[in-house]
């Protein structure tokens, strides 16, 4: 099986063909095709290739499944004996992609 390590949104992901991955939000619509060209490593059964820092010419192709928001996270702040309390919610946006092919 062929795996790749890609970088997008400041994070690194290990992906294989057919995987569904939740990544940081991209400015694309559902049904579009995305190419990740920051491929840090490609791992196959024959061996591994590592970039310094990226592999030239390596591309990971993916289809966008949907854009959405994660579950709400509650942020609570309090200072004891001062009467200070704040509650804030946050929903992190994401893009759900399905990996189609790893070239390189």
């Amino acid at each position: 099986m062929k795996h790749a390590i890609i970088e997008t949104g400041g994070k690194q992901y290990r992906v294989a063909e057919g995987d569904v991955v939740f990544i940081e939000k991209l400015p694309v619509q559902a049904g579009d095709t995305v190419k990740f060209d920051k491929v840090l490593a490609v791992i196959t059964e024959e061996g591994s290739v590592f970039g310094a820092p990226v592999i030239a010419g390596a591309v990971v192709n993916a289809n966008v499944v949907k854009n959405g928001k994660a579950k709400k996270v509650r942020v609570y702040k309090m200072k004891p004996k001062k009467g200070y309390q704040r509650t804030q919610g946050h929903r992190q946006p994401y893009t759900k992609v399905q990996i189609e092919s790893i070239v390189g």
Side-chain angles (χ1 to χ4, degrees), residues 6-74:
I6 60 171
E7 181 181 346
T8 180
K11 298 178 177 70
Q12 296 177 2
Y13 301 91
R14 180 178 178 176
V15 297
E17 293 177 354
D19 283 356
V20 175
V21 184
F22 293 89
I23 61 174
E24 294 297 316
K25 185 177 179 186
L26 297 174
V28 293
Q29 300 295 322
D32 291 350
T33 302
V34 179
K35 292 185 180 184
F36 299 106
D37 56 352
K38 280 191 169 184
V39 179
L40 306 176
V42 175
I43 300 115
T44 61
E45 295 171 351
E46 293 83 32
S48 303
V49 178
F50 297 96
V54 296
I55 300 172
V59 176
V60 174
N61 297 314
N63 285 334
V64 177
V65 178
K66 73 173 190 170
N67 289 316
K69 289 185 178 181
K71 289 190 174 185
K72 185 175 278 192
V73 177
R74 297 277 182 190

Side-chain angles (χ1 to χ4, degrees), residues 82-101:
K82 302 296 178 188
Y84 174 81
Q85 294 180 350
R86 295 287 179 267
T87 302
Q88 185 179 10
H90 175 73
R91 293 184 68 190
Q92 184 70 23
Y94 67 83
T95 300
K96 183 178 178 181
V97 297
Q98 182 171 14
I99 306 300
E100 295 298 318
S101 64

